[in-house]
Amino acid sequence: MSQTLLVAKPNRPWKLTPKQVLPDLLGAVFTVASTLLIVALSPLKGKLGFAITLIFMAILTATAVSWIRRDRKAAMNSTTTVLVYIAAAFVILPLISVLYEIVRLGSVGFSLGIFTDDMAETSSESPLTEGGLLHAVIGTAYIVTFATLLATPIGILTALYIVEVKGRFAGLVRFFVQAMSGVPSIVAGLFIFAVWMIQLGNAYSGIAGAFALTVLMIPTVARTSEEVLKLIPQDLREAGLALGATQWRTVAMVVVPAARSGLITAVILGVARVVGETAPLLLTVGGADAINLNPTQGNMSAFPYYVWKNLLIGNENSISRAWLGVFVLMILVLIIFTLARYLSTSRGVKK
Amino acid sequence: MSSTLLEQKQTPKPRIITTELRLTDKVFRGVVTGGGLISLTLLGLIGFFLVYNGFEAMRSAGMAFLTGFEWVDAVPENNQPAAYGIGAMLYGTVVTGILAMIIGVPIAVGTALFLSYYAPAWLKKPMVVVVDVMAAIPSIVYGLWGYFVLMPHAEYWAKLIHKYFGFIPFFDMPAPVFTRSPFIASLVLAIMITPIITAIAREVFAQTPLERIQAAYALGATKWSMIKAVVFPYGRGGVVGGAMLGLGRALGETVAVYTVLNLVYDIRIEVLLSAGGNVASMIVNKFGEADFVELQALMAAGFVLFLVTLIVNFIANYIINKTARE
């Protein structure tokens, strides 16, 4: 009766044995050692010389090792593997440098005091302990809020038109909205300047900047909302209609609630897109050093404008202020970005 | 009692079945259609108002507006008429855009391949986040970083390139000024467009059918052979489209280029020299002290930029959509 079942112990043929890893390890050691030797003996000097030699030697070693052990195809494979890793490193390096320099140069003048004062009575050359960027905080808050209030309904309605109503122009609208997201930001600024200032005769104001940012925000909101709405299962819509609901009821009470967090993510991504936009604001808000609480009248500042202005002044303290502005702006962007990611991954629409 | 029973037994009148929409649906569809068409209208309005305001400048200059090198205001005392031509700026924009593509596209495609096929699982997720963060960094940040951090390094690289490759006309130097050159502007632009191209290339690579990948491996292909035989034929359209999308972004970039590029109204092929052109930067540069006539010329320049980026984006999206559908 009793049968002994022989169960083969699973081995892992894909797992590399130490013997197989050894050539790679030796290759890596050889690469670094030969690079150090070449840099020490030849006229190549400094970090750049080291980096170039290292890349060159890495490709050479990897290719040679594969060729000797196997064949030309394996050598080709090793070469491209090294190149792909180098490409990935080239993408990370600038980001690390950008973040590092922002923290290093931007956190110098950082204190809570900068959020309580503006630059109205502070000259650009005075030390960073004087003045602040409250005017930029208020300006950005006004401009981005108004832009969001305008762009959110238009963007979501556009997405609903493409996904739910599927009207005659749905394909056309979709294609043009895609193209619209590539409109240069300076063109949006020029457009608002042409309409709001030249044709309608208004002066610089926060609201003009908000209009310009709306133009840039609509495509981002519309495209992300469209993706989100497309993820809502068709069954839900059919269930709503089968219960006798009109399309309006189905969309308002089934589709939109199901897509809610995705739609919020779309709006947040739109905010992230425009909060750092500089070029359109240069043509529309006028810039100011004092707090302006009226968004419909008078020049206004914003974070990007504050950075731009201090960069152009160009003395030591103003450049520190520009870095400070960038530091605060980056913190803001990263907070918005994290929020969007959190919403879209943890509580968003599940694929 | 009996009367209520009778009432209950009466069958209700059958509802008239019709395909006509209810009033609420008509209103709903009307509102949504209106909202959807706003985006379309907006794009048309941008083109219309830029032409409307810039028409006078384009009409008076004619073709010279696109080909002319000069940008001078009228000086009534000397009887000198105004001359507005964006030829040099347009040329500079295209040169920096294409250079940025030459630098950025290989890196972006390599990174997309890394993320899709090479990266270990623990590295993949953080790398995707890194690429997304890079795309979210505002251009003013890249401008500031490019000017203060990258430029000193890039100046040194430019000197090396000139020293060893100076015999090629592109790397020749009539004057030893290496800062704020098209080369440095292209480096900054390449860093800015790499995440965009990477994201799209990765999306396209992810659509490669798994069974074909496995078939290639089963036939004994190396990773690279598999990529060459399966991934690239499938993803070529997406990579081209993504690259063009990046080009569109590079052509329209303003602030980051303005800080690292010295605007000179001349066409030069030496990319390491501190003399370049960029339409968007020129608009910002000239906008501050522009009088009405010059403003019209700037509007016209904006329209040209709008048209060029729109066409590039149209082509890019057409290619991407076509690839995605196949």
Side-chain angles (χ1 to χ4, degrees), chain A residues 48 77 80 84 91-92 95 97 158 161 165 175-176 178 184 186 193-194 199 247-248 278 308 311 326 341, chain B residues 25 29 32 39-40 43 52-53 111 114 127 132 134 140 144-145 160 224 258 284 295 309 314 317 321:
Chain A
L48 184 68
N77 187 40
T80 47
V84 161
V91 166
I92 300 182
L95 182 78
S97 171
T158 305
Y161 179 71
V165 173
F175 194 67
F176 273 87
Q178 267 188 347
I186 182 90
F193 188 86
Q199 300 302 328
Q247 190 182 22
W248 149 244
T278 316
W308 175 260
L311 178 67
V326 161
R341 274 199 81 82
Chain B
D25 262 9
R29 291 178 82 98
V32 173
S39 317
L40 211 59
L43 205 61
Y52 182 75
N53 283 290
T111 309
F114 177 78
M127 268 290 285
D132 285 353
M134 279 185 76
I140 180 103
L144 208 63
W145 176 82
L160 284 182
W224 176 245
Y258 183 94
V284 168
L295 209 56
T309 49
F314 273 155
N317 288 320
N321 290 348

Side-chain angles (χ1 to χ4, degrees), chain A residues 281-299:
Chain A
L281 297 186
L282 296 178
L283 310 188
T284 48
V285 298
D289 288 330
I291 292 169
N292 176 8
L293 288 174
N294 185 353
T296 56
Q297 240 173 20
N299 289 9

Side-chain angles (χ1 to χ4, degrees), chain A residues 241 246-247, chain B residues 15-23 25-26 29:
Chain A
L241 294 173
T246 56
Q247 190 182 22
Chain B
R15 189 161 60 93
I16 302 159
I17 294 172
T18 166
T19 53
E20 206 195 314
L21 295 173
R22 301 279 182 87
L23 183 66
D25 262 9
K26 279 183 185 161
R29 291 178 82 98

Side-chain angles (χ1 to χ4, degrees), chain B residues 89 177 179-182 257-264 273-277:
Chain B
M89 294 294 117
V177 191
T179 51
R180 305 190 71 192
S181 64
V257 174
Y258 183 94
T259 53
V260 293
L261 188 64
N262 188 21
L263 296 179
V264 173
L273 184 71
S274 172

